[in-house]
Amino acid sequence: DIAKEPGRVMLAYGQSWPSVTLKTLNPIVVRLVAGYGAAGSAVPADIILAMKFLIRHWYDNRTAVETGVGIAAIEIPQTFHMLMDGYERRGLY
């Protein structure tokens, strides 16, 4: 359940836990495989370009901006969001 903070592991509807005795300390291990493959060439060109835009943005804005009231963050360029549109995933799938 990634909608809660912290996340939690729940049993899916209609399923049952294994009938084995689990370890009492850290009994559940979650393995996450993410990405587009072992080779960097498998990453879509839009994502690579978006990363370059974001890295350049962070480089150009590496110091905090004083506003007189506090420190203001500088927004991430819209180009980044446009390039990442369709790749971002949020919620439970």
Side-chain angles (χ1 to χ4, degrees), residues 20-63:
V20 299
T21 302
L22 299 174
K23 299 179 203 174
T24 56
L25 181 63
N26 302 322
I28 298 173
V29 176
V30 177
R31 182 173 178 247
L32 171 69
V33 177
Y36 289 93
S41 59
V43 178
D46 286 347
I47 293 178
I48 293 171
L49 187 56
M51 290 171 53
K52 289 178 180 180
F53 268 99
L54 188 57
I55 292 165
R56 179 61 193 225
H57 169 75
W58 286 336
Y59 180 81
D60 290 343
N61 300 287
R62 55 189 181 275
T63 58

Side-chain angles (χ1 to χ4, degrees), residues 69-92:
V69 181
I71 297 176
I74 297 178
E75 282 191 40
I76 294 173
Q78 189 63 31
T79 307
F80 171 81
H81 295 291
M82 290 170 52
L83 288 166
M84 291 302 296
D85 189 37
Y87 293 106
E88 295 176 348
R89 301 279 185 243
R90 292 192 172 104
L92 299 172

